[in-house]
Amino acid sequence: MKDKKYQVLTYLSQQKSWVTAVEISVALSYSVRSVKSYIADLNSAYPDIIASSRNGFLLENFSLASQILNTSPSSIPQNSEGRISYIIKKLIMEGLSYNLDQMAEDLCISPLTLTNEISRLKSKLGEFDLVFKSKNNIGSIEGSEKNKKKLISHLIYEDTKDFCCNLESLQVYLPNLDLKIVKHIITDILLKHQLFIDDFALMNFILHVGITMERSREGASSKESLPENVDDIIAPFILEIMEKMAKEIKQYFNITLTSGDIYDLSLLLMSQVVPENLMDSKKTSLEDVITPEIHELIELIQNKVRNTYRFNLNSQDFILRFALHLRNMLVRLKHNIHLRNPQFLTIKNTCPFIYDVSVFIADIINQREGCILSEDEIAYIALHIGVLIEEQRALMNKVMVLIVCPQYYSIHLNLVKKIGMIFEDDIIIAGVISSSDEIINYKDYQFIISTIPIIPHPSVPLIQIPVQMGNKDIGAITSVIESIKKQQLKMKMENKLKFLFYEDLIFFNQDFPSEKEAITFMADALEQQGFVDADFKESIFERESISSSAYTNIAMPHPFEMCSKQTAIAVSVHPSGINWKNNKVNIIFMLAIQEDDRPIFRDIFDFVTEIISDNRYLHALVSTKSYQEFIDLLVSLV
């Protein structure tokens, strides 16, 4: 199979919805005809791996795609990153003694190119306190076993992150172990001890257990013994659980984990599990599960988020679950345990506002605890914040509905109950009446659901349904609800757009080598126009240092605080894209928000997210060449 087919398969594996051949061709710079040909070849080799319809193409079998991409004979790595990964796998994961001349020959590169790759490899190994050494022209990687395991974990994660680290994709890297049995051992013991672990953490733990078992099988176990104060570091029941897991691993696989292995895995397990009885907020009070330190940290986060973003994190369910998460997170920080989140980019790119709030919270934790949270940890915070924010958003965005249904035995009550259950996240029932004559008594409603004709037609949308509401009627009601919600956002944003953008603050095709030059240029423009103070630029760089503000093809740099003299949005449009850390962005929206305009901050994020979720809209905006053209198109997209 050719590399281009792999690239098409990789692209499809990163999509969550249908994509057209045109969209794939634009993303990968192939012709539409070639894209369709590659997909046909893939389906021929692997029947029904990719579904096709009028909507385009959709990957059907992620597990199979993971195996194809991770085991493919695309033989020889074609870039530096691939070659370094190849060398690490050979020297550590396969434990080979590798002759450097043979290494160059296997990679189809010259000895000089190999020397350059080894130089880059040494830099990579330095991140894990490992070193590359050669003696008699034989290459090896030396360092502690713990650091080698960290490097292997990092390598596997980077290769499998597009598949959310499912068991099948991990299995490719540990072919000598049956990870289904490993998973069964872990989950069975945790269930018996009534411990809860979320799916992401479970995959992470299985990966580390698998790596430890493989290294032990090769005679490279941790030689460290348990520290004397182990009971002060790890709860005794966690050590007991890990010892039970080690005993079953010995029974099933004939692999013996050393006391050092058990200690390392116990530390990781302690930072990821929660007693199941603590997950119920109705039975558990906050004081039962957290220390005063965490209680103070949560109060600090609540106060700062309320002051900065104007919404409350004051929900008992949220506070309890987030407190338990913070407790485990602080354990990970204390013991330098890195927890991967395979959905990091998905969370960041699909929920930019929620992610931004999470970056803000991470900065609070960083300053309070004197640490630096990774973007993976920030994404875990986003999962917690996202649930709460979406609940609040759903309540705010609910549509007021008036139901007209003549009373007949209990039929009308059953219908109202059914409507309420199906659309509980989207509507508030303003009233239930039996005659159209009673409509005049109600004012706060946005559309009407009726089982009888209403004449004359009301000024709001009307859906007439039978008493026995069917799927077609549910679809019609859903369509009206979505239409009303979009109209609400449109009305809200149309007025705001007129005073957010200024002709002197929209730039086209500026030549920025990286995000640093772009931020400097745009912040200086805002300062020259009198919208911000001189320290605005440094505040943006401070925010960027924690996590990039790039979301797929756009960037929205802004400071944590709403510190502008006057609200404005500077824009820079780049059809060819500019480098923004690990992204290539086509549009930059620099947000300068005044304190009094704080409530519109979330609306801006929501609006921009809506635009970038549709490639057609993004492409149209990137194609504009003047202020008026850009603004007219932006307003038309609301």
Side-chain angles (χ1 to χ4, degrees):
M1 184 184 288
K2 295 180 181 178
D3 287 340
K4 290 184 178 180
K5 292 177 188 175
Y6 280 108
Q7 290 173 5
V8 170
L9 186 59
T10 299
Y11 178 80
L12 287 171
S13 73
Q14 297 166 347
Q15 310 308 309
K16 305 301 180 186
S17 57
W18 295 91
V19 288
T20 65
V22 173
E23 290 172 324
I24 300 172
S25 72
V26 170
L28 301 179
S29 300
Y30 303 156
S31 70
V32 172
R33 183 177 179 180
S34 295
V35 167
K36 292 181 177 179
S37 174
Y38 296 149
I39 290 174
D41 288 347
L42 285 164
N43 275 331
S44 175
Y46 308 95
D48 301 322
I49 188 173
I50 300 168
S52 61
S53 72
R54 289 182 299 175
N55 297 320
F57 300 99
L58 181 69
L59 182 62
E60 287 271 272
N61 193 330
F62 277 81
S63 296
L64 178 57
S66 173
Q67 294 178 35
I68 295 168
L69 292 172
N70 287 323
T71 59
S72 103
S74 143
S75 49
I76 302 161
Q78 299 299 309
N79 55 39
S80 180
E81 185 178 336
R83 293 183 194 114
I84 289 172
S85 177
Y86 176 90
I87 295 170
I88 292 172
K89 288 175 184 176
K90 292 293 181 183
L91 293 181
I92 296 185
M93 295 179 68
E94 297 180 22
L96 295 180
S97 297
Y98 213 157
N99 181 282
L100 298 186
D101 293 334
Q102 185 64 48
M103 186 185 294
E105 185 177 331
D106 291 346
L107 289 168
C108 295
I109 56 178
S110 68
L112 178 60
T113 301
L114 178 61
T115 300
N116 293 333
E117 298 295 16
I118 289 175
S119 176
R120 297 185 184 97
L121 170 65
K122 289 178 179 178
S123 176
K124 180 76 172 177
L125 294 175
E127 298 173 19
F128 297 87
D129 290 327
L130 297 170
V131 294
F132 177 87
K133 290 190 176 180
S134 62
K135 185 177 181 181
N136 298 327
N137 209 39
I138 301 295
S140 64
I141 293 175
E142 297 184 10
S144 73
E145 181 60 25
K146 180 181 292 187
N147 289 337
K148 287 181 181 179
K149 288 177 183 176
K150 284 183 180 180
L151 176 58
I152 295 171
S153 172
H154 172 80
L155 193 67
I156 294 175
Y157 173 78
E158 287 300 312
D159 281 354
T160 61
K161 61 185 178 182
D162 292 331
F163 303 97
C164 293
C165 283
N166 60 53
L167 211 57
E168 290 83 0
S169 61
L170 297 183
Q171 186 68 73
V172 172
Y173 289 86
L174 300 164
N176 300 310
L177 305 173
D178 188 336
L179 292 185
K180 289 182 180 178
I181 295 177
V182 176
K183 180 180 180 182
H184 174 75
I185 291 172
I186 294 169
T187 55
D188 187 53
I189 291 177
L190 291 181
L191 183 63
K192 287 177 181 176
H193 286 79
Q194 297 184 315
L195 291 174
F196 170 81
I197 186 170
D198 67 65
D199 289 340
F200 296 144
L202 176 61
M203 283 298 124
N204 190 278
F205 187 63
I206 291 171
L207 171 61
H208 282 80
V209 171
I211 292 171
T212 300
M213 290 170 64
E214 184 64 22
R215 299 295 291 161
S216 179
R217 199 180 65 82
E218 295 174 0
S221 294
S222 173
K223 302 298 188 292
E224 297 178 16
S225 58
L226 294 177
E228 293 182 2
N229 63 335
V230 63
D231 288 345
D232 296 332
I233 301 172
I234 300 174
F237 80 95
I238 292 288
L239 271 176
E240 179 187 341
I241 288 170
M242 196 60 242
E243 286 169 352
K244 287 182 180 179
M245 290 183 188
K247 186 176 180 180
E248 293 208 21
I249 287 169
K250 169 73 172 176
Q251 179 182 337
Y252 277 98
F253 297 95
N254 196 29
I255 293 174
T256 302
L257 300 186
T258 66
S259 58
D261 293 331
I262 292 172
Y263 174 72
D264 290 341
L265 291 171
S266 296
L267 269 177
L268 180 62
L269 184 64
M270 182 177 67
S271 74
Q272 295 180 340
V273 295
V274 174
E276 284 188 347
N277 65 306
L278 298 184
M279 299 299 291
D280 189 347
S281 62
K282 295 181 177 63
K283 299 178 182 178
T284 308
S285 68
L286 203 58
E287 289 71 19
D288 294 336
V289 296
I290 66 167
T291 62
E293 174 195 11
I294 295 178
H295 197 289
E296 290 175 10
L297 180 57
I298 286 180
E299 284 191 344
L300 179 65
I301 290 170
Q302 285 179 303
N303 291 334
K304 290 202 170 188
V305 168
R306 181 171 56 249
N307 292 336
T308 301
Y309 291 95
R310 291 291 193 268
F311 67 82
N312 292 318
L313 301 178
N314 193 18
S315 158
Q316 183 63 24
D317 284 341
F318 163 77
I319 292 174
L320 176 62
R321 294 177 190 277
F322 192 54
L324 292 169
H325 176 79
L326 286 178
R327 185 184 72 173
N328 285 357
M329 185 193 71
L330 292 178
V331 170
R332 291 194 292 274
L333 290 173
K334 181 179 179 180
H335 297 285
N336 196 27
I337 297 171
H338 194 121
L339 186 60
R340 294 287 192 174
N341 190 326
Q343 283 201 328
F344 156 61
L345 284 177
T346 302
I347 293 168
K348 180 176 181 180
N349 292 329
T350 58
C351 310
F353 175 73
I354 291 171
Y355 186 78
D356 193 75
V357 175
S358 304
V359 172
F360 180 75
I361 291 173
D363 184 55
I364 297 171
I365 297 170
N366 289 347
Q367 293 186 38
R368 175 69 178 262
E369 301 297 323
C371 62
I372 299 178
L373 291 188
S374 69
E375 290 186 316
D376 293 286
E377 289 285 6
I378 294 172
Y380 275 110
I381 293 174
L383 289 172
H384 286 272
I385 301 301
V387 170
L388 179 64
I389 290 180
E390 288 307 307
E391 286 174 353
Q392 294 178 349
R393 193 199 306 270
L395 187 62
M396 288 167 48
N397 291 344
K398 285 188 176 182
V399 176
M400 301 293 288
V401 179
L402 187 62
I403 299 177
V404 183
C405 180
Q407 298 182 17
Y408 185 75
Y409 293 99
S410 62
I411 292 178
H412 71 293
L413 298 177
N414 291 336
L415 177 63
V416 172
K417 183 179 179 181
K418 187 174 181 180
I419 291 173
M421 289 177 60
I422 293 173
F423 300 102
E424 64 177 337
D425 294 331
D426 299 298
I427 67 170
I428 295 174
I429 298 176
V432 180
I433 57 180
S434 58
S435 166
S436 60
D437 296 337
E438 300 176 56
I439 293 177
I440 195 172
N441 299 324
Y442 291 83
K443 293 181 180 178
D444 296 326
Y445 60 90
Q446 293 164 283
F447 85 104
I448 297 173
I449 299 173
S450 177
T451 60
I452 59 175
I454 296 181
I455 301 175
H457 195 288
S459 58
V460 298
L462 166 67
I463 297 288
Q464 185 175 335
I465 63 171
V467 174
Q468 301 299 330
M469 180 175 62
N471 290 335
K472 184 178 179 181
D473 307 305
I474 293 171
I477 294 171
T478 300
S479 179
V480 171
I481 291 171
E482 291 304 313
S483 176
I484 291 173
K485 286 184 176 182
K486 285 184 179 180
Q487 188 62 28
Q488 286 175 334
L489 180 60
K490 180 174 182 177
M491 291 173 64
K492 189 187 292 184
M493 288 305 300
E494 255 184 4
N495 293 328
K496 291 172 182 173
L497 289 177
K498 294 174 183 176
F499 76 88
L500 290 174
F501 296 94
Y502 295 81
E503 188 166 2
D504 293 340
L505 292 174
I506 295 188
F507 311 99
F508 297 89
N509 283 311
Q510 293 289 328
D511 186 17
F512 300 132
S514 70
E515 76 278 0
K516 179 180 281 190
E517 290 78 12
I519 290 171
T520 298
F521 177 88
M522 297 174 74
D524 286 346
L526 282 163
E527 184 183 352
Q528 290 164 11
Q529 296 289 328
F531 289 99
V532 301
D533 288 325
D535 57 358
F536 178 80
K537 185 191 332 180
E538 288 308 313
S539 297
I540 288 186
F541 280 124
E542 181 183 340
R543 160 64 178 78
E544 290 289 324
S545 69
I546 297 174
S547 184
S548 165
S549 64
Y551 305 93
T552 61
N553 297 88
I554 68 125
M556 288 192 281
H558 61 277
F560 281 126
E561 303 297 329
M562 309 297 171
C563 54
S564 303
K565 297 179 181 178
Q566 184 180 338
T567 296
I569 299 179
V571 180
S572 190
V573 181
H574 304 271
S576 300
I578 68 164
N579 293 322
W580 196 287
K581 290 194 176 176
N582 297 324
N583 283 59
K584 197 99 169 173
V585 303
N586 298 106
I587 306 181
I588 306 167
F589 295 90
M590 181 171 282
L591 312 181
I593 310 297
Q594 187 184 30
E595 174 69 26
D596 292 344
D597 292 325
R598 186 187 299 272
I600 73 170
F601 185 72
R602 187 195 297 190
D603 293 333
I604 294 169
F605 260 88
D606 289 345
F607 175 59
V608 173
T609 304
E610 184 79 16
I611 291 173
I612 66 174
S613 65
D614 192 315
N615 286 334
R616 294 170 301 171
Y617 296 161
L618 182 65
H619 180 72
L621 280 172
V622 170
S623 300
T624 58
K625 294 180 174 59
S626 69
Y627 164 80
Q628 199 58 52
E629 189 180 353
F630 183 88
I631 292 300
D632 289 346
L633 179 58
L634 203 61
V635 171
S636 73
L637 297 179
V638 177

